[in-house]
Amino acid sequence: MKPENQKTIDEFLSRADEMGDDIIAQTEEWLGVVPFIFTLMRERPEAFALSVLGDYHTARPASLDPKTAELVAIAAAAGAGADNCVRVHIGTALKEGATRDEILDTILIAGIIGKTHVLAPALRAFRDRLPEADSLSTSPKNRS
């Protein structure tokens, strides 16, 4: 790494503990709660600052308005089975102007993808193990 870049990183990391306090306060204002993972990650100020600042900028891209970003976060959290994250991001989506219907539809769409996540590999395994099953699904009498 170039010395000037290393110097910039070192200066940044020298303020990691102070930034951590700011990050916690900003997160609580943004989400209305501080995720428990933040309290534990905070024990490593440098890693915490680097990780969470990157996450924040990823979660709030310039290309999406905050409400849309929160709906995406709900869908991703639902798909990942992160129930507490779903709850937190529902609250934040409401704060950003999302309606009940928008949130419900977001969760339902995530559910469709979740169903596909289960069915696609299982049905591929089924087809591969029982190839004659594939020919049955394409026979003219089974198309209706």
Side-chain angles (χ1 to χ4, degrees):
M1 184 172 297
K2 294 179 182 176
E4 59 271 17
N5 290 336
Q6 186 62 54
K7 182 180 177 192
T8 300
I9 291 169
D10 292 343
E11 287 172 4
F12 174 85
L13 292 177
S14 74
R15 300 185 61 204
D17 201 39
E18 175 189 338
M19 284 187 285
D21 293 338
D22 251 4
I23 292 166
I24 293 290
Q26 177 72 29
T27 300
E28 190 165 20
E29 182 180 320
W30 174 32
L31 298 177
V33 66
V34 176
F36 91 94
I37 62 171
F38 281 22
T39 58
L40 292 176
M41 291 172 63
R42 179 77 176 85
E43 292 180 18
R44 301 294 184 263
E46 294 85 4
F48 178 69
L50 290 169
S51 175
V52 176
L53 286 173
D55 293 349
Y56 176 79
H57 286 281
T58 301
R60 282 292 186 261
S63 64
L64 297 177
D65 63 90
K67 180 180 89 170
T68 301
E70 285 304 319
L71 293 173
V72 171
I74 291 168
D83 297 346
N84 287 331
C85 292
V86 171
R87 284 185 198 85
V88 166
H89 288 285
I90 286 173
T92 307
L94 289 168
K95 190 169 85 173
E96 295 295 349
T99 66
R100 182 183 189 280
D101 284 340
E102 289 171 327
I103 294 168
L104 177 58
D105 289 337
T106 296
I107 293 168
L108 293 174
I109 291 168
I112 291 167
I113 301 304
K115 179 174 68 173
T116 302
H117 175 75
V118 170
L119 289 174
L123 290 173
R124 281 187 189 99
F126 176 78
R127 180 193 60 205
D128 293 348
R129 188 77 171 131
L130 302 163
E132 66 276 9
D134 195 38
S135 65
L136 292 175
S137 68
T138 59
S139 72
K141 67 181 180 180
N142 289 332
R143 288 187 191 161
S144 54

